[in-house]
Structure formats: structure tokens, C-alpha cells
Amino acid sequence: PQRVFSGVQPTGNLHLGNYLGAITRFVALQDDYDCIYCVVDMHAITQAVSVWGGPEELTKSTREVTAAFIASGIDPEKHIVFNQSQVAEHAELAWVFNCVARMGWLNRMTQFKEKAGKHRENASVGLFAYPNLMAADILVYRATHVPVGEDQKQHLELARDIAQKFNTDFADSIRRVSGEDEFFPLPEPLIQGPATRVMSLRDGTKKMSKSDPSDYSRINLTDDADTIAQKIRKAKTDPEPLPGEEDGLEPRPEAANLVGIYAALADRSKADVLAEFGGAQFSTFKTALADLSVAKLAPIASEMRRLRDDPGYIDSVLERGAGQARDIAGPVMRNVKDIIGFLR
Ligand code: TYM
């Protein structure tokens, strides 16, 4: 059986990168797969408390990401939506994976190096071990497909390495316990569409991110129409008109980024967008992009505001989703225990 799993951290505001690189892809997969979409609150606490904002902020952000999922079109009646900390099996399997993954594998993770910065001695152990928890998130459901943005590719490769090592280390036991040759599938990343890496609006060589100090670098899902239009108007560009073909975007990161955003929002290819706007000045293109962004994002923001006033509904979605998630993760974890030889 094919199963999709993905997660989003409840830290700060969701931005256009999260929306185009991940959430719209989650929505698109609902027709073809059984999907599990998780608000990964245990990942959020890997950074300093001052970064994720403390208990009240975490609770609020967890509800906000859930609201964004629903407002964007994820159907919690047909698929599973929950927050990670409600399903203890994630942490349980993560411990096993802490003992499967090698230090050397984690030492290569570029996101750890970026997030830990210069003072690596001060980073939490959780931030270092984070990719093991991410592997557990996916594999505790034996998920086969994982839609993510480009920046998660290396973590997905690690998850595959962990699955593979577990399968080989315990091959005999796996055959005895489950009768299978491989216990964990090697999860496949789905990194698709024209906006797998949305860049900062201020610098086309930097990823759009929650942690950029400039709010003008990103469009937040909750920005109002005026703010969106102003951020696009002020977005960095070069002086040339838009090229007619995709090759022409190659040396122009800011242009490539805006065209990619347009294509993703309009559900068209970049080539198609350039066929329309090739030769146009940025002033013209930016107006069209601002209109399109507002048309697509405003309804989501307003639905999120409506859901914000109904935390009881959000919490009930998460509670029900957590129950459904446990029904899948529980039996997998019991198998894992038998495979390892833990008495239960
Ligand atoms: P997070 O919370 O940083 O981001 C959520 C999703 O948004 C994507 N994304 C982007 N896509 C395109 N352009 C950007 N500028 C951009 N910024 C973020 C991310 O690739 C991600 O898909 N470790 C994950 C969360 C996670 C997870 C998992 C994902 C935890 N467990 C299991 C998949 C499966 C993270 O920090 O994503």
C-alpha cells in the first residue's frame, strides 16, 4: 500500500515557500494516496526557547498550522491530520533510530550546520538528532512517499539510509517476526512543481525562510492584500525585461524566483508563463504577480482567521487524527519491539 506522510513545524509564520513547496503539494496528493499530515511540534522545540517562543506561542502556532492545512484544502475527514507529540510512537521509534544512525551520517547534515551556526557546542542534542526523529515520523507509518521542498532532500536520504540499515541489521529477525524481507520501505521524496525552493524576495540566492530578520524577504500566509502587493513591488529584480524562454532565467535568480512563484500559484509551467510575459518589464509582471498572489492567498488567510476563532474545532481535529495515527503506529511499533527483542 502506498502512503504519504509529511510534516510542518509550528514555528513562527508560515510563508509562501511552505505553501508552494509543501502544502499545495499535500493537497494535490489527496486524490491518489492515503495521506498523513503532521504538525511536528516535537521538532519545533529543538531550537532555543526564544526561537520558538515558549509554551503559549507553541500552542498557538500548532493550531495555526493546522488551520493553514485545512484552509488550503486538506480534508481531515478523508486523511489524517494531527500533532506529533500526541502520538508517543514517534519518540519511541526515534530512540531506536538514534541507535541505528551513525554519528558520521548526522555530521554531514547541512541544515544542522546552518541552524547550529558558529556555536555548535551550544546547540541542543535534539537539533543534532532531529533527522532521526524525522525518519521515525515517516517510518512509524511505513510511509512510501514524502512530499517536501528541496531543502529536506538530504534528510530524506538519511531516512532511507536508516530504513536500509535497520532492514539489514535485523534481517533474520524481520523474517521471523513479520515474514517479510524488508520491514521498512525506503521512503521516496516527492520534490515536485515549479516552486520546490522559493527564494527570499530580497536576495535570490537565499531561501525564503521563517528566520530571515527582514519580513520583506517573505510573504506570510496571513499577510493582508496591501502587504502582499507592497512586498512584491519592493522585491529585488534586475533591470532587464523578462526573457521569453527558461534558459534566459538561468543567470537571473530573482527573475527565476518570481516566475517560479507565478507558475506555482497559477498552476502553470514556467515556460508557459514566459510565453505570456517574455519581453515584459518587471513593473508589469509584478502587478500581475501581486494580483494573482492576493487572489490565491486572501481566501486562505480569511479561512484561517475564521478557524482561529474556533480552537475547539481545531483541537478536535487533532485529537481524532492522533487516534487514527496511533492505530497505525501502534502495531508497527509492536513489530519493531519484537524484531529488536524487547520483551513486551
Ligand atoms: P519546515 O517546517 O521547515 O518546512 C515545511 C515544508 O516547507 C518546505 N519549505 C520550502 N519549500 C520551498 N521553498 C522554501 N523556501 C521552503 N521553506 C520550507 C519544506 O521543505 C517542508 O517540506 N524537517 C521538516 C519537517 C518534518 C518532516 C518530517 C517533513 C518533520 N518530520 C517528516 C517530512 C517528513 C521541516 O523542518 O520542515
Side-chain angles (χ1 to χ4, degrees):
Q2 309 232 300
R3 182 176 282 140
V4 161
F5 180 94
S6 199
V8 175
Q9 289 197 49
T11 39
N13 283 330
L14 288 175
H15 54 70
L16 196 59
N18 301 127
Y19 180 67
L20 296 177
I23 299 174
T24 59
R25 316 305 305 176
F26 298 178
V27 173
L29 292 163
Q30 294 184 109
D31 289 339
D32 298 323
Y33 295 88
D34 290 328
C35 303
I36 303 176
Y37 295 130
C38 185
V39 186
V40 288
D41 48 8
M42 287 158 66
H43 282 273
I45 67 167
T46 54
Q47 286 188 278
V49 180
S50 60
V51 173
W52 52 269
E56 275 155 38
E57 194 58 31
L58 183 62
T59 303
K60 185 171 149 250
S61 300
T62 301
R63 291 192 181 120
E64 184 132 322
V65 174
T66 311
F69 282 178
I70 297 169
S72 302
I74 290 170
D75 183 351
E77 302 290 327
K78 297 212 179 90
H79 299 274
I80 299 175
V81 173
F82 74 105
N83 59 310
Q84 186 184 29
S85 61
Q86 291 208 58
V87 181
E89 283 82 357
H90 290 246
E92 250 182 312
L93 185 58
W95 178 258
V96 172
F97 287 173
N98 283 343
C99 304
V100 172
R102 308 287 92 187
M103 293 285 288
W105 299 0
L106 289 165
N107 273 329
R108 286 198 283 276
M109 295 296 118
T110 56
Q111 196 160 84
F112 172 74
K113 290 178 201 166
E114 278 159 29
K115 288 198 176 168
K118 287 196 191 89
H119 307 287
R120 208 172 291 184
E121 296 290 306
N122 269 332
S124 75
V125 176
L127 186 67
F128 185 70
Y130 168 122
N132 296 341
L133 177 58
M134 181 164 159
D137 297 339
I138 300 163
L139 294 171
V140 83
Y141 303 101
R142 304 215 275 179
T144 53
H145 293 82
V146 186
V148 283
E150 180 74 41
D151 62 337
Q152 296 300 317
K153 193 170 176 216
Q154 195 185 32
H155 291 158
L156 258 296
E157 279 157 13
L158 186 89
R160 292 168 65 91
D161 289 343
I162 290 174
Q164 179 113 58
K165 185 164 179 351
F166 183 94
N167 288 343
T168 18
D169 282 358
F170 297 102
D172 294 341
S173 185
I174 288 170
R175 235 165 275 128
R176 232 175 302 121
V177 170
S178 76
E180 294 160 301
D181 288 333
E182 315 251 271
F183 184 71
F184 289 120
L186 305 192
E188 215 178 287
L190 299 176
I191 302 174
Q192 293 167 334
T196 55
R197 188 173 174 81
V198 177
M199 308 307 278
S200 157
L201 298 180
R202 308 300 303 160
D203 177 351
T205 64
K206 270 183 18 203
K207 191 179 67 169
M208 184 178 284
S209 103
K210 293 169 188 173
S211 56
D212 194 310
S214 166
D215 200 51
Y216 275 90
S217 70
R218 66 185 157 261
I219 291 172
N220 302 305
L221 273 193
T222 48
D223 281 346
D224 61 33
D226 287 345
T227 309
I228 293 174
Q230 199 181 25
K231 284 177 175 177
I232 291 176
R233 218 179 309 122
K234 293 203 171 167
K236 187 179 167 202
T237 48
D238 56 48
E240 302 295 319
L242 282 167
E245 318 222 330
E246 262 188 274
D247 291 353
L249 292 174
E250 199 70 29
R252 301 172 62 185
E254 283 84 13
N257 190 38
L258 295 183
V259 170
I261 291 173
Y262 191 103
L265 284 170
D267 202 13
R268 289 163 61 181
S269 68
K270 286 196 227 178
D272 196 34
V273 173
L274 290 177
E276 181 181 342
F277 289 100
Q281 298 295 332
F282 271 108
S283 53
T284 310
F285 181 65
K286 280 181 167 179
T287 308
L289 180 58
D291 290 348
L292 178 64
S293 304
V294 170
K296 293 286 174 178
L297 300 181
I300 296 171
S302 89
E303 179 66 3
M304 282 175 71
R305 273 193 299 278
R306 198 184 64 79
L307 289 166
R308 185 182 297 161
D309 295 334
D310 195 355
Y313 168 70
I314 297 285
D315 293 2
S316 73
V317 164
L318 294 174
E319 191 187 335
R320 184 165 43 95
Q324 295 167 324
R326 270 183 233 116
D327 289 343
I328 303 172
V332 172
M333 200 57 219
R334 285 197 284 281
N335 270 331
V336 168
K337 288 183 179 174
D338 292 346
I339 287 167
I340 297 176
F342 286 152
L343 282 172
R344 58 178 184 87

